[in-house]
Every structure is written in C-alpha cells, then in structure tokens.
Amino acid sequence: MTDAMTRSAMAGCLISLALLISVPLFQSAYLIDVVTEILIYALFALSLNVIIGYSGNVSFGHAAYFAIGGYTNAILLTSHGWALVPSFVTSILVTMIAAGFVAYFCTRLTNIYFAMLTLAFSMLVWAIAFKWRSVTGGDDGFVGIRVPEIINNRAHFYYFTLIMVTAATTLLWFICHSAFGRTLVAVRENATRAGFVGVNTRLMRWWAFVVAGTFAGIAGAIFGMFHRGMYVESAFWTQSATVLIMTLLGGMFSFFGPAIGAATLFILERITNEYTEYWPTVLGCILLVILLFLPDGLAGLARKVRSYVAGSN
Amino acid sequence: MLETHDLHKHFDGFKAITAINFKLIEGERHAIIGPNGAGKTTFFNLITGHLQPSAGEVRYKGDLISGLPPYRIVKLGLARSFQRINIYPRMTVFQNVQVALIAQNNQHLHFFTRAHNLYKEETEDLLELVDLLGEIQDIAGELAYGKQKQLELAISLAANPRVLLLDEPTAGMSPSETAESIRLINDITQSRSLTLLFTEHDMSVVFSIADRISVLHHGEILASGAPDEVRKDVEVRRVYLGEEVGHASA
Ligand SMILES: Nc1ncnc2c1ncn2[C@@H]1O[C@H](COP(=O)(O)OP(=O)(O)O)[C@@H](O)[C@H]1O
Ligand SMILES: [Mg+2]
C-alpha cells in the first residue's frame, strides 16, 4: 500500500495491459474465455479487498453484491429489454443501495459479528434468488441473458470486459490511495485513535462497504452477460469463500495482490479440474499454505524475494 | 471553559469518579494529581467521550458535551493523548500525523484527493516541533518509547485543539526526554495559547508546568489551587504527596 506507484509497479501495469490487449490476437477462444473470466474475478477480489485489506473487516458474504449486480442486469436486459448502458448503470446503483442498506447494520458490529452478519445477509440474497422463481429463475438459474449486439461476439465482449475492469480498477486505485483510503487504513490500524482525531469510524467503514459492494456489482453484471446466465450459486457462501481465498492468496496488504490471487486461483482450479476431481482438496491445501507460510499472500512473498535479492547484491 | 457538574462514574458498582465539580479556566495549565487508581484516566475518558458518565454532565463553553461521541468532541477543540501509547503502529510517522490533519480538515470522505503528499508541509512542521523529522518515514511502532510519546503529542496537536488533555505525558520517559517534554509542552501551550489539562505522576514535572493543581483521590477532588497552596495542604500531603513534595521543593 505504497503512496505513489513505483516505477516498477507502473511498468508492471503497462506490460500487463499490453499483454491483455493482445490476447485476442492469439485467436484462441479458450484463452479469451479464460482471461475474460479472470478479469471479472480480479475485479471481484479487488473490490472485496477494500473491506478486508483497507478497512480491516472480514466479509463472508461478498458474493451477495456480485449476484445482485448480475441478476439486476440480467433482468433489466432480458425481461425488460433495456439497453446496455441504462441497464448496466442501474444495476450498479441497485447494488450500491443494497450494499448501503446492509452496511448500515453490519458496521454496527466488528470482528466475527460483522463477518457473521455479512454472511447472514448474503444467505438472504441467495434465498431470494432461489425462491423468487418468476423473476430470477430460481434454482434453474436465469438462463438466456440477452447480450446486446455490440458485445455479442467473443473478442468484442473481451474488450468490453477489459475496458470495464481497467476503468473500475483505476477508480478503485484512486479511491484506495485517496484521503479516504488513507484514513480508512488508520481506522483499521487503530479505530480508537482515529475517533480521537475526529473521524467517524463507523461512517468510514460504511463507505468502505458500499465501495466494495458497488464494484462487486460491476463484476457480477459482466459475469452474467459473459455466461449468458445467472445462477444461485453466485450468491452462495462458497462463492464468497472463493473470492475471500483469492484475496488472501494474492495478499490483502497490496492493492493489486487480490487480482494476482484471483488469476492464480482461477488457473489452478482450471488445471486441477482437467486432471482430477480433487479441487476442494487442493483448495484446502492452498488455504493451509497461505495461512501457515504466506500471511501476506503472493504480493508479500514477492516483496520478500525482492528485498532478499536487493539485500544480497 | 470546561466544566463538570456532579460527575459520577461507576463500574459495576465500583465508584471510580464521585461527584466531581470541576472548572478548567481558559489559558491555564491545570494538573490533576493523585495516586494510581485515583480515577485520573477515567476522568479524562469522561470528558473526551471515551466513556459516558453514570450521572452528571460535562460542558464545554457552556454547551453540553457528555453524550457526544469522541469524534464530535475533538471537532469542538478538545484533543487528547493517552497514558498507554495510542498510535497507528504499522503506519509511518508521517502518516500518523497526516491522518489527523486529513480529519481536522474534513477530507476523510474525499475519495479522489490523492493522499500522497497531502498536508506534507503541515505534517513536517508538527514533526519538527516534536523533533521527529529525522524519523518521518519510519514505522511508528518501531520508534523508541519516548519518541512514540512525542508522536502521540504531534497527533493530538494536529487536531488543532483549544484544550489539550495529556494523560501522563512523560510516564516512562528518561530524565532527559522528560526535561525535553516539559520544555515542549510549555512552549506549545504558550505559543498556541492552549488551555492544558494533564495528569502526571512526577511531582517535579507537575510543578514545572502547572499553574493550578487538583488532587484526585478515590474518585473525588480533595483540593484545588495554586501549586504552592496545594503543596501546603496537609491533607494532601498525607494522601499523596508525602516525601515527594520535599524532593520537588528541595
Ligand atoms: N473500564 C473500566 N472498567 C472497570 N474498572 C475500571 C475501568 N477503568 C478504570 N477502572 C477502575 O477505576 C479506577 C480508576 O482508574 P484510572 O482512572 O485508570 O486511575 P488513574 O488513571 O488515576 O490511575 C481503578 O480502580 C480502575 O481499576
Ligand atoms: Mg491513568
């Protein structure tokens, strides 16, 4: 969580962006699909890290906002025939309002009580998606999302996703490195002290929750269109756990860490599923490794390696 | 400037503060002395909104402030330090002070104001004041104890208070650090014309800063007055000052 982007971080971003832009040139549908989905999960994990890394609270229910964004966009596009832009924007606003409502209650609590309440609300969202069959499709899922013509093509959709995720990530970067972000870290580090310099700590945590939820909604809306369907699993607690593990794997004390965690976990899952049926076992092992050996995730590991190399020169 | 009326605080029946009627006069440097467990910190906590009184009220410039959350009370101009160091240990020294300035200037909900270099000069000025410029990029939690105390003072000052409340500002400091702190506290209160309320164990510190002293014992104020008067107060001698008075006046 450095102040300014270092030269190497800036270079890393530009190189990644160049590589991402050139992905469709390889003419591989499989590659494009994988990278599209990684981008979506990267944004999802980055959004969660506003709560986890920056505000210092653990959410077990972040999938709720992913699902709200996804379902709202699906319903507006398909059931109501809205155009892409109004549908997309409205989905984001709806997610924002939902997150604001939930955050009002969750930010009264801290620690495990906060985490449990986020879980409870996400189960509520799941239950609504499950039971409100006429609108959401229930456990059959909302299938056949109408994807607007302009992005209804693999490469076009890929670039749409890349632009959206890049724009959203840039916004998030500025928010996390703003006066707000700095104060939020102070609240995480010592809420009492922050209160005694004049910060309404609960309001800060409320905003962190709303920002996180809103950006998860963006990821969810893209996800639905990509799969041409939304399914109740997207709101289930296992989905919240997945994005939580992505964030921890990448490293919560680094802005880009969660994106790296999302890519790593997603690729590992793909590979594992190709050869075995033991993904949950592998996932368990990954979690063990993070907790025992990588408390600051892959980003922390990279930092250590870098300072080790610098030290031995 | 700051008054308490019949202030009480009970912890599960234990009376930590009983019937305190206290007046802090604008511009004075008022020390609260008393043995460990007398209720000094609790009294501070009641004034600054960290604790709610069981009965009674706290008024600042005539307005009721008991019941307000700490962040509102700070905004009215009362800033405090803590007896046990209370900083952001994993942030840098710079950031520790910067956050207080961000809050003081109501920028903490500015989502697109870059934090980098924000209030850089103001932060540096405050750190220069407490002699921490050399450690500006250090991790706060890794500073020596005395320096952390100084950092905490800078954080409190960043809130731009009218009334500064310091809870045992020199506790745990070396003699030279203590002397430096005394000089600093005297300078700052004078140059910023602050009203000061502080608690202190070390009587020599008390006598070199305070122009009024209140003695707190078992949650009650036993005596209040100019340092010399309090020093002479026999009851006070018995309760607390004991031999230390002899030292301080020697
Ligand atoms: N939060 C609390 N809960 C219970 N008892 C407390 C609490 N805070 C302080 N006390 C008790 O109140 C008394 C006064 O404590 P304190 O105000 O810290 O004294 P001082 O600062 O003068 O040493 C002590 O007996 C202490 O144990
Ligand atoms: Mg005390």
Side-chain angles (χ1 to χ4, degrees), chain A residues 70-265:
Chain A
Y71 272 109
T72 310
N73 189 48
I75 292 162
L76 293 178
L77 278 179
T78 315
S79 312
H80 299 276
W82 285 29
L84 177 62
V85 174
S87 171
F88 202 74
V89 171
T90 308
S91 309
I92 295 170
L93 288 177
V94 168
T95 315
M96 194 171 177
I97 291 164
F101 176 78
V102 173
Y104 174 82
F105 297 97
C106 290
T107 52
R108 288 164 173 255
L109 308 175
T110 51
N111 303 329
I112 191 71
Y113 304 100
F114 172 91
M116 287 300 117
L117 200 56
T118 58
L119 178 63
F121 273 109
S122 80
M123 292 309 275
L124 210 61
V125 170
W126 176 83
I128 291 170
F130 188 84
K131 286 287 178 196
W132 202 8
R133 188 169 274 278
S134 58
V135 175
T136 63
D139 57 349
D140 295 334
F142 190 109
V143 282
I145 293 180
R146 188 185 66 81
V147 177
E149 209 46 53
I150 180 165
I151 51 173
N152 200 2
N153 144 326
R154 186 168 268 117
H156 286 187
F157 194 87
Y158 175 79
Y159 282 118
F160 166 76
T161 305
L162 182 58
I163 290 168
M164 283 300 160
V165 171
T166 307
T169 303
T170 308
L171 267 181
L172 264 180
W173 193 91
F174 277 105
I175 291 172
C176 288
H177 294 80
S178 67
F180 167 77
R182 175 61 47 81
T183 312
L184 194 58
V185 171
V187 172
R188 174 194 82 196
E189 287 297 306
N190 188 344
T192 308
R193 221 329 155 198
F196 278 98
V197 295
V199 178
N200 180 346
T201 53
R202 192 179 153 200
L203 185 63
M204 294 298 293
R205 292 170 60 233
W206 186 84
W207 271 109
F209 199 109
V210 171
V211 168
T214 305
F215 282 85
I218 299 175
I222 303 173
F223 179 89
M225 291 189 289
F226 174 65
H227 285 287
R228 286 165 174 64
M230 277 304 289
Y231 304 90
V232 285
E233 288 75 23
S234 281
F236 204 54
W237 66 268
T238 49
Q239 180 78 344
S240 296
T242 302
V243 69
L244 182 60
I245 295 171
M246 285 172 169
T247 306
L248 295 179
L249 174 62
M252 61 175 173
F253 292 124
S254 138
F255 177 81
F256 288 108
I260 295 162
T264 311
L265 200 75

Side-chain angles (χ1 to χ4, degrees), chain A residues 3 177 179 182 189-190 193, chain B residues 80 86-87 90 98 113 115:
Chain A
D3 266 358
H177 294 80
R182 175 61 47 81
E189 287 297 306
N190 188 344
R193 221 329 155 198
Chain B
R80 71 172 290 183
N86 207 339
I87 55 176
R90 290 193 292 185
Q98 184 197 31
T113 304

Side-chain angles (χ1 to χ4, degrees), chain B residues 36 40-42 83 167-168 199:
Chain B
N36 244 331
K40 303 180 295 292
T41 298
T42 305
Q83 180 176 351
D167 197 356
E168 312 230 356
T199 70

Side-chain angles (χ1 to χ4, degrees), chain B residues 29-206:
Chain B
R29 294 191 282 220
H30 196 134
I32 304 229
I33 62 171
N36 244 331
K40 303 180 295 292
T41 298
T42 305
F43 186 52
F44 267 37
N45 287 341
L46 291 171
I47 292 173
T48 55
H50 198 42
L51 291 174
Q52 300 305 322
S54 309
E57 55 181 39
V58 181
R59 285 183 179 274
Y60 177 62
K61 292 181 174 165
D63 297 328
L64 191 67
I65 60 166
S66 36
L68 294 181
Y71 68 89
R72 297 272 305 277
I73 293 177
V74 180
K75 292 283 180 198
L76 296 174
L78 283 93
R80 71 172 290 183
S81 72
F82 291 80
Q83 180 176 351
R84 293 187 51 197
I85 286 173
N86 207 339
I87 55 176
Y88 314 105
R90 290 193 292 185
M91 297 174 82
T92 64
V93 168
F94 176 83
Q95 291 168 349
N96 265 265
V97 174
Q98 184 197 31
V99 166
L101 287 164
I102 289 173
Q104 156 64 18
N105 290 289
N106 290 318
Q107 301 264 309
H108 51 288
L109 288 178
H110 283 214
F111 294 91
F112 296 102
T113 304
R114 282 289 300 282
H116 190 55
N117 286 345
L118 188 61
Y119 300 115
K120 187 166 185 280
E121 275 168 38
E122 291 88 336
T123 303
E124 286 171 353
D125 288 347
L126 282 163
L127 288 173
E128 185 170 19
L129 199 64
V130 298
D131 199 23
L132 281 177
L133 257 191
E135 286 86 359
I136 192 162
Q137 290 305 334
D138 291 4
I139 300 297
E142 293 170 4
L143 292 179
Y145 180 86
K147 296 208 179 242
Q148 293 194 14
K149 273 278 212 231
Q150 297 297 71
L151 175 58
E152 176 139 28
L153 181 61
I155 294 173
S156 309
L157 288 173
N160 193 23
R162 296 316 309 145
V163 179
L164 185 62
L165 297 101
L166 304 177
D167 197 356
E168 312 230 356
T170 69
M173 283 188 171
S174 70
S176 67
E177 284 172 334
T178 302
E180 176 57 24
S181 280
I182 292 171
R183 188 195 59 74
L184 188 63
I185 291 167
N186 277 327
D187 275 8
I188 291 168
T189 43
Q190 217 143 63
S191 64
R192 302 186 166 217
S193 43
L194 295 180
T195 307
L196 178 71
L197 181 63
F198 71 108
T199 70
E200 185 54 68
H201 257 101
D202 186 336
M203 293 316 297
S204 65
V205 175
V206 171

